[in-house]
Amino acid sequence: MLVAQAVSVQDTAAFGELIRRHQSQVRNFLRKLTGDLSAADDMAQDCFLHAWNKLQTFTGRGSFIGWLLKIAYTTFLQSKRKSKRYAEILDEAGYVAQTESRSYTPRQDEISDLDKFLAVLTEDERAIMVMSYACGLSHREIGDATGLPVGTVKSVIFRGKEKIRKNFDIKDHQYG
Amino acid sequence: MISKIINMVDRMKDAEDRWLESMFQSEPIADDGFSDRVVWRLWRRIWIRRLTLPAAMLIGGAVAIKPAMQLVLVGSRLLNAVPQELFVAPAAWISQLPIILFAGTVLVIGMLSARMLEE
């Protein structure tokens, strides 16, 4: 309803309400992905601006949050590519690059168990695990968001779980 | 027996999933003006887009007005240099303009009708 209103009359107030409803999930997703609060919030802002421009492409087939997280993930990947290119340019120019790698680097004084788990995962695994366990997206929605087949999503989740089990020596009886 | 094992495996998986969900859960982030900041950026973008074309037209017009005036003056001088006989023929056509327009309209309608019939 709000989406339709925002699309039909380019209603920024309706879109503002959509941001208020979903900002927490989008920012949480990007924070877990980057481990950097301010970078994640900048990306979240960019994500919502992109979402505004692409609002007409939302067909309503999946959930709105799934569609938003797809844009958030794309924004994250674009930002990563940009900073990589920036580092390359600095490198070519002979500077020692001091750019953020956008890898998972939480502050040392507030490392949680989750941070430790996320640190052993690759970027794709991290994104998919966060979408699945933190944002509650279905495998199909994750597939739509990442552009991967559902089977691949399942195997990435399986691999991620294996890594967590292996790296932290977690036995079956220790859940819960 | 096999089904019991499958059920047990499922239960184990569920327990693991539930455990992971609880690990991945985090407190909701307070808005703290975040949405207002995004909406403000959005407004700024919309207004910049809306104002860009009129502003460009104004600036372009201000820059182009002097050369344009000079062009008009040069054009009028050139027209004075053209022999007067050249203007006589077009003046004669003006009296026949309604007939020319009528013929043109009939021709266009005829062509369109022919095309419709073809289709």
Side-chain angles (χ1 to χ4, degrees):
Chain A
M1 184 64 189
L2 268 173
V3 180
Q5 197 180 331
V7 174
S8 63
V9 284
Q10 295 273 295
D11 187 348
T12 48
F15 189 67
E17 183 53 37
L18 282 171
I19 299 172
R20 260 183 288 281
R21 284 185 193 181
H22 299 291
Q23 57 86 24
S24 177
Q25 267 184 300
V26 172
R27 287 162 82 189
N28 252 326
F29 170 67
L30 287 167
R31 282 180 183 192
K32 285 187 175 83
L33 219 54
T34 60
D36 182 334
L37 303 192
S38 63
D41 280 5
D42 288 346
M43 276 183 222
Q45 285 199 23
D46 290 342
C47 159
F48 281 111
L49 293 175
H50 289 154
W52 169 262
N53 291 334
K54 291 182 174 183
L55 210 54
Q56 278 164 332
T57 64
F58 176 65
T59 54
R61 200 167 59 92
S63 65
F64 186 65
I65 185 66
W67 181 78
L68 266 181
L69 291 181
K70 178 183 181 173
I71 296 175
Y73 187 52
T74 312
T75 309
F76 165 74
L77 293 176
Q78 279 173 350
S79 159
K80 226 185 125 242
R81 232 171 281 144
K82 262 187 215 164
S83 56
K84 193 180 167 192
R85 180 75 197 115
Y86 182 57
E88 280 170 6
I89 291 167
L90 285 181
D91 204 34
E92 280 164 22
Y95 287 100
V96 178
Q98 287 290 317
T99 52
E100 299 162 79
S101 65
R102 297 277 197 239
S103 60
Y104 192 76
T105 49
R107 281 172 53 189
Q108 290 299 308
D109 54 335
E110 47 188 41
I111 292 177
S112 64
D113 286 345
L114 177 61
D115 293 326
K116 288 177 195 163
F117 288 171
L118 292 172
V120 299
L121 302 173
T122 64
E123 214 164 74
D124 296 350
E125 289 164 354
R126 210 184 304 147
I128 289 171
M129 294 287 277
V130 172
M131 280 184 197
S132 177
Y133 292 109
C135 306
L137 295 195
S138 68
H139 292 164
R140 195 198 186 95
E141 284 176 318
I142 297 171
D144 286 344
T146 54
L148 295 171
V150 177
T152 310
V153 170
K154 283 181 183 172
S155 66
V156 170
I157 291 175
F158 181 78
R159 214 168 45 226
K161 280 158 84 171
E162 279 276 303
K163 271 191 184 176
I164 290 173
R165 264 187 239 130
K166 212 171 167 183
N167 278 280
F168 300 99
D169 199 25
I170 297 163
K171 305 283 183 298
D172 291 341
H173 65 271
Q174 287 177 294
Y175 305 129
Chain B
M1 184 63 186
I2 292 169
S3 67
K4 269 188 181 177
I5 291 169
I6 290 169
N7 282 342
M8 272 173 68
V9 169
D10 278 348
R11 254 205 303 276
M12 260 160 44
K13 276 185 182 172
D14 284 345
E16 184 182 22
D17 287 337
R18 275 198 299 276
W19 175 73
L20 278 169
E21 270 170 15
S22 69
M23 291 302 293
F24 274 79
Q25 276 311 311
S26 44
E27 290 293 308
I29 301 171
D31 191 277
D32 286 336
F34 175 85
S35 52
D36 291 336
R37 278 195 297 278
V38 179
V39 172
W40 165 243
R41 276 183 71 184
L42 204 61
W43 262 102
R44 211 175 51 186
R45 269 192 187 189
I46 291 170
W47 277 103
I48 287 172
R49 272 185 203 164
R50 276 183 194 163
L51 292 176
T52 303
L53 188 62
M57 281 172 73
L58 272 175
I59 294 166
V63 171
I65 192 124
K66 205 176 168 187
M69 289 300 288
Q70 282 172 346
L71 206 65
V72 169
L73 285 172
V74 171
S76 66
R77 270 183 223 141
L78 277 174
L79 277 176
N80 285 335
V82 174
Q84 287 295 314
E85 294 82 51
L86 281 176
F87 293 106
V88 177
W93 294 349
I94 290 168
S95 62
Q96 293 180 353
L97 202 62
I99 299 166
I100 293 168
L101 275 175
F102 179 72
T105 314
V106 169
L107 188 70
V108 169
I109 290 171
M111 282 168 75
L112 284 173
S113 307
R115 195 173 168 175
M116 273 174 70
L117 280 172
E118 257 181 28
E119 282 171 2

